[in-house]
């Protein structure tokens, strides 16, 4: 077995969180991981640290203190303003080798995944990707990562007994974030950074921002599946009437009906709406993961035995092409009455 660069006997009993920022704003998943990290750290009496890279980002450190961090490592340099794997992995690698935390968590964003994977190879440690839950085994000081496998049929609990740091990625929306009273003692630790342009192998020529949609925080979700093909206009109309967002299952993304950022589920977005209306969706595990946290689920499916009904609060056995126009008609007339 290949050993990691540092082992259990050299670790510091700390949880670290990669605090990803975009133009001076922390990603929501970073705050979610701080909240979860605080909960775990309190159970075992460990410290919780965040790691921020960028330039002049002290205000973000104070924001992180409001989510439970004890310490913030701040790496400030103009070449860290934009994520590049060479600079970020270089700086984080050096800092981790110095401080040797036991646990290091990352958001499963494109940058978080990129960084975690690169560092896992450099530390020669493991990486549990897309965890659906995390806990600390207080007996053995081990991170227990819940990961779904075999097409969702199995939930595996993975422990890293010998390799450090114990690393995991978690997708946005899996945990919730909640501000807390800052710790009595907080500290900002400034990391010395020496970077040069020639370390960066990639050049950003142009930045194209696609449609920005945050399904994870939409209060109302109108979700379409294969059974709602040809009904997208109605799904959008419903979403407009109910001040919600349209999302869908993976087949709809694969077939090009909806953009990837609107895919709900295990390999899409995990949502926690107040209301989710599922139209023509069978209810595969991979999809259900994405709406599991909805307060209320209403499903319309023509098959009375569709698995989605097991996860629904209200079940409508019907053709979506008949139900949706009727629903839109009612909502429109309600809107007209309230506008009158
Ligand atoms: C590793 C992996 C990851 C995956 N990740 C995801 C993911 O993140 N998100 C995701 O969604 N899927 C994911 N999938 C795919 C997933 O397993 C299912 O195949 C998918 O969710 C099914 O989509 P669906 O419900 O739209 O289609 P189907 O399973 O084909 O279901 C269509 C449903 O529509 C109903 N229907 C048909 N016509 C009508 C009608 N006129 N009116 C009412 N109901 C009707 C049918 O009864 C049926 O229940 C993943 C698969 C794998 C292997």
């Amino acid at each position: 077995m290949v050993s990691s660069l540092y082992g259990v006997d050299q670790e510091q009993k700390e949880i670290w969180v990669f605090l990803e920022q975009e133009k001076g704003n922390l990603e929501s998943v970073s705050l979610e991981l701080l909240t979860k990290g605080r909960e775990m750290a309190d159970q075992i009496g460990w410290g919780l640290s965040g790691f921020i890279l960028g330039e002049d980002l002290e205000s973000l450190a104070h924001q992180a203190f409001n989510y439970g961090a004890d310490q913030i490592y701040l790496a400030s340099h103009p070449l860290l303003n934009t994520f590049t794997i060479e600079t970020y992995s270089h700086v984080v690698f050096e800092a981790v080798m110095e401080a040797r935390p036991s646990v290091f968590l990352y958001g499963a964003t494109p940058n978080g995944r990129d960084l975690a994977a690169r560092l896992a190879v450099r530390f020669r440690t493991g990486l549990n990707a897309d965890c659906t839950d995390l806990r600390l085994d207080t007996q053995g000081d081990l991170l227990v990562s819940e990961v779904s496998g075999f097409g969702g049929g199995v939930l595996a609990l993975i422990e890293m007994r010998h390799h450090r740091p114990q690393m995991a990625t978690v997708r946005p929306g899996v945990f919730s974030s909640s501000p807390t009273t800052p710790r009595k003692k907080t500290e900002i630790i400034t990391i010395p950074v020496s970077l040069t342009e020639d370390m960066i192998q990639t050049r950003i020529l142009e930045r194209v921002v696609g449609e920005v949609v945050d399904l994870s925080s939409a209060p109302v979700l109108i979700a379409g599946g294969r059974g709602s093909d040809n009904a997208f206009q109605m799904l959008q109309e419903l979403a407009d009437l109910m001040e919600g967002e349209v999302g869908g299952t993976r087949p709809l993304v694969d077939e090009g009906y909806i953009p990837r950022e609107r895919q709900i589920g295990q390999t899409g977005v995990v949502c926690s709406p107040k209301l989710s209306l599922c139209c023509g969706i069978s209810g595969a595990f991979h999809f259900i993961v994405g709406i599991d946290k909805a307060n209320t689920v209403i499903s319309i499916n023509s098959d009375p035995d569709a698995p989605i009904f097991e996860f629904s609060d209200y079940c409508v056995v019907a053709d979506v092409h008949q139900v949706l126009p009727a629903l839109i008609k009612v909502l429109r007339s309600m809107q007209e009455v309230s506008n009158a």
Side-chain angles (χ1 to χ4, degrees), residues 186-300:
T186 55
E187 190 183 6
I188 297 177
I189 299 167
T190 306
I191 303 274
V193 180
S194 66
L195 293 170
T196 51
E197 289 268 3
D198 59 7
M199 293 169 82
I200 307 172
Q201 306 293 318
T202 47
R203 295 278 175 273
I204 296 173
L205 302 180
E206 192 186 357
R207 205 178 148 82
V208 181
V209 180
E211 187 197 9
V212 179
V213 53
D214 184 9
L215 284 195
S216 64
S217 58
V220 175
L221 193 64
I222 310 296
R226 260 196 197 130
S228 63
D229 55 353
N230 303 325
F232 290 109
Q233 215 172 330
M234 287 193 278
L235 297 183
Q236 187 59 59
E237 204 170 342
L238 263 183
D240 293 343
L241 283 163
M242 297 172 77
E243 296 179 9
E245 290 286 351
V246 173
T249 60
R250 182 154 125 179
L252 298 195
V253 174
D254 293 344
E255 288 159 25
Y257 288 114
I258 55 168
R260 177 126 340 249
E261 58 270 23
R262 289 187 183 272
Q263 181 189 318
I264 300 161
Q266 190 188 355
T267 43
V269 185
V270 176
C271 310
S272 41
K274 287 195 180 120
L275 173 68
S276 176
L277 177 64
C278 300
C279 309
I281 294 174
S282 59
F285 170 85
H286 302 106
F287 170 79
I288 295 296
V289 169
I291 56 150
D292 213 15
K293 291 186 176 166
N295 285 0
T296 304
V297 177
I298 304 175
S299 298
I300 308 167

Side-chain angles (χ1 to χ4, degrees), residues 97-108:
M97 287 310 294
E98 182 79 25
R100 307 187 172 212
S102 177
V103 172
F104 201 166
L105 309 176
Y106 309 74

Side-chain angles (χ1 to χ4, degrees), residues 238 242 277 300 322-332:
L238 263 183
M242 297 172 77
L277 177 64
I300 308 167
Q322 288 176 351
V323 177
L324 294 186
L327 192 56
I328 288 171
K329 200 171 160 194
V330 172
L331 288 171
R332 260 207 225 116

